[in-house]
Amino acid sequence: MSHKEKIARISDRIKNIPIGSKASFIKKSVSHQVPKSKSNPDNRTAIDISDLDEIIEINARERFCVAEPGVPFSTLVKETLKHGLVPITVPELKTITVGGAVAGGSVESMSFKYGGFHDNCLEYEVIDGKGDIIICSPENNSELFHMVHGTFRTIGLITKIKFRLIPSKPFIHVLYCSFESIEEYIKAIKEHSEKNDFDFMDGIIHTPNNFVLCLGNFRDSAPYSHSYDWPRIFYKSTAKRKEDYMKTTDYFFRYDAGCHWTGRNYGLDNPLIRFLFGKIFLPSDRMLSLGKWVVKTFKITEPDIVVDTFFPIEKFKEFFEFYLREFNDFPIWIVPYKIVDYPWINPNHLRGISDNLLIDFAIYGMKEKKGENHYRIMEEELLKLPGLKTLISHNFFTEEEFWRIWNKETYARMKEKTDPRNIFGDLYQKAHQR
């Protein structure tokens, strides 16, 4: 079936959703939402978008790609590398899709210079809540273009994405630079961000006094290469090694096996268990499916904490000291993230910050103490800093607090234009389903 035929089918389905019903979408890929114990509410009309999973064009001369939203990055990178190119900002898990990266605002180790994957998109095809097909870009329907990635499919369904590619090389050489204080760590991040002297930069905080900055560059050749899909563990290697070489694909998906370090909660950091069962349980799609099964089967109401928090780099030390007081759980993934003015953020929320470099302080697999709401404790701190958090995790903001961070006026205007029947649901309500 051609792309045109696919979207005609989806458009017709949306147009015929009964009054009062909400749309739900059937996808091929595993969801990267944090597992919730409750199911979606009733009265939903299922729309099958599982066949939106093809790469439509790779233009090597002009360095862009056009793809349907269901294409996973593992497939995408494999195909673009045949042309000596890769997407800008490749998410760390193989099963994250192009559409998911846009909807969730994916960032990674190129983000200190390029921003998120969505910041490098050139055009979207969107089907709105009326079933109309809209082409949007920074020059055409620009408000929809800039809003659609921050509103989690509540103002429109992205059905095609055009995005930039950059030249690649076969290998990536990574240096692991260790620091003993948060002040030294922040200084190094700022210096490398300003110098722009590496292709990749992220980091791992192993303990309160062991900060590792991972700095990488493309290379044509390598004296050796490591992969971390089995049985090696990437995050542990950064505390022991001074440098490493990886094939480009292995670097991009170095965190996939065990979903960063959440696999340790299932015993998958144990060398023997990892060796015996790693091939079965380590891939991210298996880990995510296992996590969802455990939460639903055993009705777990306090699952492991998985959340990305974002704040200006000038607030890094303050947030880190708060984190030590309240939680003191490690490791932590650090991703410097260059942002632009996003219309879905309330313009008053980040007003006054002196640097457009944010820190993604990613907390994965932390155990929640009985009787405490770790998500809520973090939300209260982020409201004060100011900061943000991903909406794919559990959210406890009051509606008033939520719209102090997200831009209610712009969202309501766009919602009225693209989804007047509210078949895609409200952003606040969707984010707060538990």
Side-chain angles (χ1 to χ4, degrees):
M1 184 181 291
S2 70
H3 178 75
K4 188 175 181 179
E5 290 171 324
K6 294 176 191 177
I7 62 168
R9 171 182 55 80
I10 296 168
S11 172
D12 185 64
R13 182 72 168 154
I14 289 175
K15 288 176 181 177
N16 288 285
I17 289 179
I19 295 174
S21 180
K22 294 281 193 295
S24 64
F25 297 97
I26 301 170
K27 301 183 295 181
K28 182 184 292 184
S29 60
V30 63
S31 172
H32 288 78
Q33 292 265 349
V34 173
K36 311 290 198 301
S37 57
K38 294 183 180 179
S39 301
N40 285 329
D42 296 330
N43 196 23
R44 288 187 172 263
T45 299
I47 300 174
D48 189 347
I49 58 172
S50 60
D51 60 352
L52 290 177
D53 62 351
E54 295 184 24
I55 297 172
I56 297 172
E57 178 186 4
I58 297 174
N59 188 315
R61 185 173 62 84
E62 297 185 32
R63 295 180 185 169
F64 71 80
C65 178
V66 179
E68 294 174 332
V71 175
F73 273 88
S74 56
T75 300
L76 180 63
V77 168
K78 180 181 178 181
E79 294 304 313
T80 60
L81 276 174
K82 293 176 181 178
H83 302 270
L85 301 167
V86 291
I88 299 176
T89 309
V90 177
E92 70 279 11
L93 303 184
K94 295 179 180 179
T95 50
I96 293 177
T97 61
V98 175
V102 174
S106 288
V107 301
E108 236 282 358
S109 56
M110 288 188 190
S111 292
F112 75 101
K113 60 168 69 178
Y114 296 114
F117 176 75
H118 52 278
D119 291 314
N120 298 283
C121 290
L122 303 169
E123 184 179 276
Y124 303 131
E125 175 186 79
V126 177
I127 302 179
D128 70 11
K130 297 173 287 187
D132 295 336
I133 300 166
I134 305 170
I135 304 298
C136 58
S137 68
E139 297 78 32
N140 180 38
N141 295 310
S142 61
E143 190 168 58
L144 175 60
F145 176 83
H146 290 296
M147 283 290 289
V148 76
H149 84 264
T151 46
F152 290 84
R153 205 191 288 136
T154 61
I155 60 173
L157 171 68
I158 297 176
T159 52
K160 188 170 67 176
I161 303 166
K162 179 180 179 181
F163 50 92
R164 295 167 56 206
L165 304 172
I166 58 171
S168 178
K169 292 182 179 180
F171 298 95
I172 293 173
H173 177 216
V174 188
L175 301 176
Y176 302 119
C177 304
S178 297
F179 302 89
E180 295 182 352
S181 73
I182 185 66
E183 292 87 357
E184 292 176 308
Y185 199 50
I186 293 169
K187 181 181 178 182
I189 292 172
K190 285 183 174 180
E191 286 180 350
H192 289 298
S193 177
E194 291 166 1
K195 290 179 182 177
N196 197 19
D197 52 351
F198 286 90
D199 296 319
F200 307 93
M201 176 167 62
D202 70 329
I204 296 177
I205 305 178
H206 290 276
T207 70
N209 56 9
N210 184 1
F211 304 80
V212 175
L213 197 59
C214 310
L215 301 166
N217 275 319
F218 284 116
R219 289 286 185 262
D220 290 309
S221 61
Y224 60 86
S225 67
H226 287 148
S227 65
Y228 291 91
D229 55 350
W230 172 82
R232 294 187 182 94
I233 302 174
F234 176 72
Y235 81 91
K236 287 190 173 182
S237 76
T238 67
K240 300 173 183 177
R241 302 182 64 89
K242 296 299 182 184
E243 65 175 345
D244 207 346
Y245 288 88
M246 286 169 262
K247 292 179 181 178
T248 297
T249 300
D250 291 332
Y251 172 82
F252 284 150
F253 305 120
R254 65 204 181 280
Y255 291 112
D256 186 80
C259 291
H260 292 269
W261 38 84
T262 57
R264 66 182 177 173
N265 297 340
Y266 299 93
L268 290 172
D269 268 13
N270 180 293
L272 180 60
I273 293 176
R274 192 176 178 95
F275 179 79
L276 293 174
F277 303 106
K279 286 290 186 181
I280 300 172
F281 294 113
L282 279 171
S284 59
D285 57 341
R286 305 280 179 84
M287 284 289 301
L288 292 164
S289 297
L290 176 63
K292 287 173 173 55
W293 179 83
V294 168
V295 168
K296 287 190 175 182
T297 302
F298 297 100
K299 296 181 169 54
I300 296 173
T301 57
E302 295 178 341
D304 300 339
I305 303 297
V306 176
V307 62
D308 288 66
T309 60
F310 299 86
F311 43 80
I313 192 169
E314 62 202 63
K315 298 289 186 178
F316 193 175
K317 181 181 179 182
E318 182 178 343
F319 187 86
F320 184 68
E321 290 172 345
F322 150 80
Y323 184 81
L324 288 181
R325 290 193 307 270
E326 295 289 343
F327 307 114
N328 198 26
D329 186 87
F330 296 91
I332 297 294
W333 188 34
I334 298 299
V335 184
Y337 168 32
K338 181 181 179 181
I339 66 163
V340 297
D341 291 330
Y342 296 137
W344 50 266
I345 298 178
N346 187 323
N348 295 317
H349 184 59
L350 297 179
R351 180 170 291 168
I353 66 170
S354 59
D355 198 315
N356 70 341
L357 191 68
L358 296 189
I359 294 296
D360 176 359
F361 189 97
I363 303 159
Y364 297 153
M366 180 170 66
K367 294 291 185 182
E368 190 163 48
K369 296 177 185 176
K370 195 72 175 177
E372 292 188 9
N373 186 334
H374 288 10
Y375 284 109
R376 181 56 185 164
I377 294 170
M378 279 184 266
E379 287 174 356
E380 290 173 346
E381 182 68 14
L382 292 170
L383 284 164
K384 290 189 297 184
L385 273 180
L388 310 163
K389 66 188 281 283
T390 49
L391 295 181
I392 62 170
S393 59
H394 293 267
N395 301 288
F396 296 88
F397 293 112
T398 67
E399 194 160 359
E400 185 273 332
E401 289 171 340
F402 183 82
W403 293 117
R404 277 164 50 191
I405 300 174
W406 280 266
N407 192 330
K408 186 174 184 179
E409 181 180 340
T410 307
Y411 178 76
R413 183 174 65 251
M414 184 56 60
K415 184 76 170 172
E416 180 61 30
K417 184 183 297 185
T418 63
D419 187 26
R421 294 187 295 155
N422 194 31
I423 67 164
F424 295 140
D426 173 77
L427 180 60
Y428 174 79
Q429 296 298 329
K430 183 174 184 177
H432 288 73
Q433 290 174 2
R434 290 189 290 275

